[in-house]
């Protein structure tokens, strides 16, 4: 009965814009769309496709008859107005790509469809283990192939993927439970059969997380960012390496042993080097704020700036716009009317906010009266801003897609 009530709420909210202002009339070509059902659906990534549509990635979680949770990769293709073209979950019990629980974290468009990177979760000797999982589907969502990539005596969690200059794929993962100090995994995977061409490990510390984006340059060098944990302190880490090499151009830890917790979640290339978005607890109130960190092409710190209020605010994703600005997606407890809302910030390349019309808020706040958490964002080919996130209705999570105008208005 509780789930039915939540579904009814979702259906009612899906037909209106849940913004901090009264936006029921809306603006042309902007929208708020919910994609959910009786299961929890948690968003993770999206891309604009070559045909002008959008591909959305998430994980759908349901309860089996045994009261155990079952998770599947969920892919949704929509048109420019957010209307569903197709909606698929994997494994689909037909193709045999995997019978394990699957989780999706990153998606890209490839020559014959789409490639998803995430996790395949299974039990062995009463222990839960994880392999990195690759899934390819065609333009209609039909499974082409699935592949698990394992790491000896450890779990591998897939986070990011991009194309190589030869048409293969770079994939990035974290290593959990490695007996050696390395906790980051980079590999090139063949586009023909998803087999690993080469792999290298990086990183050192007690634990690590990595960014949702891999950056490559004209020489096929690879850059990523993330968070490394040493002695209970979290610091931002950025690495640039040649393909298939342990000899990195640089491997920099920002703020090491300074007593502050600073986390990196996403990274983009800029004219001055790189912009990293994340969070920090180095605030006067002791809460979390959104942290924008700028480094040069050698990974050296150029400067940083924070955004947020008196409560917890986290940076989720970043992109570079056509006009040379930085567009940041965060989640905020400090502003808005809900338990947590989306926080959209536009700055110049130095981190100076562009949208300052609301006193005390360096950006746009929107969301429902429930818990709204951002996942990723992009600027579309038409100049609109697309935000993907998750809204929690009671005990049910639902994917939400928001399209704003070029000024962040719905």
């Amino acid at each position: 009965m509780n789930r039915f009530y939540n579904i009814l709420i979702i259906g009612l909210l899906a037909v209106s814009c849940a913004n901090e202002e009264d936006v029921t009339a809306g603006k042309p070509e902007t929208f708020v769309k919910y994609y959910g059902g009786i299961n929890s659906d948690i968003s993770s990534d999206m891309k604009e496709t070559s045909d002008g549509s959008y591909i959305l990635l998430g994980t759908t979680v349901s309860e089996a008859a045994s009261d155990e949770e079952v998770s599947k990769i969920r892919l949704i293709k929509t048109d420019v107005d957010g209307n569903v073209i197709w909606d698929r979950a994997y494994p689909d019990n037909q193709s045999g790509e995997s019978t394990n629980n699957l989780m999706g974290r990153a998606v890209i468009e490839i020559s014959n469809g789409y490639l998803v990177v995430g996790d395949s979760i299974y039990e062995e000797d009463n222990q839960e283990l994880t392999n990195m999982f690759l899934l390819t589907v065609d333009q209609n969502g039909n499974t082409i192939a699935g592949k698990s990539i394992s790491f000896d005596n450890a779990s591998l969690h897939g986070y990011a993927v991009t194309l190589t200059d030869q048409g293969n794929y770079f994939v990035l993962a974290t290593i959990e439970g490695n007996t050696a100090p390395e906790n980051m995994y980079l590999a090139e995977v063949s586009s023909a059969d998803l087999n690993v061409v080469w792999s290298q490990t990086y990183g050192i510390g007690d634990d690590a997380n990595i960014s949702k984006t891999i950056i490559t340059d004209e020489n096929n060098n690879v850059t990523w960012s993330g968070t490394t944990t040493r002695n209970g302190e979290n610091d931002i880490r950025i690495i640039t390496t040649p393909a298939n090499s342990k000899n990195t151009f640089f491997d920099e830890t920002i703020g090491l042993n300074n007593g502050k917790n600073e986390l990196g979640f996403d990274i983009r290339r800029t004219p001055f080097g790189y912009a990293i978005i994340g969070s920090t607890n180095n605030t006067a109130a002791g809460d979390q704020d959104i942290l924008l960190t700028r480094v040069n092409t050698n990974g050296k710190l150029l400067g940083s700036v924070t955004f947020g209020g008196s409560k917890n605010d986290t940076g989720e994703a970043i992109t570079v716009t056509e006009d040379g600005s930085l567009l940041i997606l965060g989640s905020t407890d400090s502003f808005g009317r809900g338990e947590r809302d989306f926080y959209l910030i536009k700055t110049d390349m130095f981190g100076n906010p562009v949208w300052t019309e609301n006193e005390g808020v360096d950006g746009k706040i929107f969301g429902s009266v429930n818990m709204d958490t951002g996942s990723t964002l992009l600027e579309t080919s038409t100049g609109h801003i697309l935000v993907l996130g998750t809204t929690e209705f009671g005990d049910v999570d639902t994917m939400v897609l928001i399209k704003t105008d070029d000024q962040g208005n719905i």
Side-chain angles (χ1 to χ4, degrees):
M1 186 67 180
N2 187 34
R3 285 187 178 272
F4 175 80
Y5 178 70
N6 287 324
I7 296 164
L8 178 61
I9 293 174
I10 293 168
L12 292 173
L13 285 172
V15 299
S16 65
C17 294
N19 190 22
E20 302 311 316
E21 305 294 334
D22 181 10
V23 295
T24 53
K27 292 190 175 184
E29 300 180 347
T30 67
F31 59 74
V32 176
K33 299 279 187 177
Y34 291 91
Y35 310 94
I38 61 174
N39 301 319
S40 281
D41 295 278
I42 304 164
S43 64
S44 54
D45 196 18
M46 69 174 166
K47 296 293 187 298
E48 184 175 18
T49 64
S50 56
D51 62 4
S53 303
Y54 309 129
I55 189 76
L56 316 180
L57 172 65
T59 301
T60 184
V61 182
S62 60
E63 288 187 4
S66 61
D67 291 332
E68 293 182 356
E69 287 190 344
V70 176
S71 62
K72 295 185 177 185
I73 291 170
R74 186 179 183 188
L75 271 179
I76 305 171
K77 187 171 184 179
T78 78
D79 63 17
V80 293
D81 297 315
N83 300 311
V84 174
I85 298 173
W86 51 259
D87 184 347
R88 304 287 291 270
Y90 312 88
D92 56 15
N93 299 322
Q94 296 177 11
S95 57
E97 70 269 10
S98 175
T99 56
N100 298 332
N101 284 339
L102 301 182
M103 174 183 295
R105 288 202 184 89
V107 61
I108 58 169
E109 185 174 18
I110 56 178
S111 60
N112 57 345
Y114 307 99
L115 170 65
V116 173
V117 172
D119 290 354
S120 174
I121 307 162
Y122 63 100
E123 281 196 9
E124 185 176 282
D125 298 329
N126 296 319
Q127 182 181 8
E128 185 175 276
L129 298 173
T130 303
N131 291 335
M132 178 163 56
F133 188 73
L134 309 181
L135 172 71
T136 53
V137 304
D138 65 20
Q139 294 285 349
N140 297 313
N142 301 308
T143 299
I144 298 173
K147 183 81 172 183
S148 285
I149 298 175
S150 61
F151 194 87
D152 288 344
N153 302 314
S155 285
L156 206 59
H157 301 275
Y159 273 87
V161 59
T162 194
L163 291 168
T164 73
D165 61 357
Q166 299 298 316
N168 285 335
Y169 316 121
F170 285 134
V171 292
L172 189 61
T174 59
I175 309 168
E176 182 182 18
N178 193 13
T179 54
E182 289 87 358
N183 45 34
M184 301 177 179
Y185 175 95
L186 176 69
E188 181 178 350
V189 174
S190 168
S191 59
D193 53 18
L194 300 182
N195 286 328
V196 174
V197 177
W198 58 261
S199 66
Q200 296 284 353
T201 58
Y202 307 86
I204 191 169
D206 304 321
D207 197 8
N209 285 294
I210 50 179
S211 58
K212 57 187 70 175
T213 302
I214 308 175
I215 299 171
T216 57
D217 63 18
E218 62 277 5
N219 298 315
N220 222 32
N221 300 317
V222 187
T223 300
W224 70 92
S225 182
T227 306
T228 185
T229 303
R230 300 186 195 180
N231 301 319
E233 179 181 305
N234 296 311
D235 297 297
I236 293 172
R237 191 176 199 134
I238 180 169
I239 298 173
T240 293
T241 181
N244 195 19
S245 175
K246 294 282 285 188
N247 298 315
T248 62
F249 290 120
F250 65 82
D251 181 352
E252 293 289 336
T253 302
I254 301 170
L256 183 63
N257 296 323
N258 65 1
K260 307 169 187 175
N261 282 315
E262 298 173 333
L263 298 88
F265 297 138
D266 200 10
I267 184 172
R268 285 294 187 275
R269 183 70 189 259
T270 70
F272 57 74
Y274 302 95
I276 303 168
I277 199 67
S279 302
T280 179
N281 68 347
N282 181 34
T283 63
D287 59 314
Q288 271 196 323
D289 277 351
I290 296 170
L291 175 66
L292 172 63
T293 302
R294 299 180 297 110
V295 301
N296 66 15
T297 53
N298 294 316
K300 301 298 184 182
L301 181 66
L302 294 175
S304 61
V305 61
T306 60
F307 306 92
S310 60
K311 298 181 181 179
N312 287 327
D313 309 282
T314 56
E316 313 290 354
I318 188 170
T319 192
V320 178
T321 63
E322 282 295 321
D323 66 3
S325 302
L326 298 176
L327 201 59
I328 297 164
L329 175 63
S331 303
T332 178
D333 291 330
S334 299
F335 311 114
R337 66 179 183 182
E339 298 179 57
R340 172 159 273 225
D341 286 318
F342 301 112
Y343 193 175
L344 189 61
I345 304 167
K346 187 175 185 179
T347 78
D348 63 19
M349 280 294 168
F350 301 97
N352 300 306
V354 174
W355 296 330
T356 56
E357 60 264 35
N358 296 319
E359 185 176 352
V361 182
D362 295 320
K364 309 290 177 132
I365 309 297
F366 47 87
S368 70
V369 296
N370 299 287
M371 181 80 74
D372 302 293
T373 304
S375 296
T376 192
L377 82 166
L378 58 84
E379 183 183 41
T380 71
S381 57
T382 58
H384 293 81
I385 299 168
L386 210 61
V387 171
L388 181 68
T390 304
T391 296
E392 183 180 328
F393 298 98
D395 60 349
V396 176
D397 292 312
T398 298
M399 295 171 64
V400 56
L401 181 67
I402 303 170
K403 190 177 186 179
T404 80
D405 64 16
D406 61 353
Q407 298 301 307
N409 301 310
I410 301 176

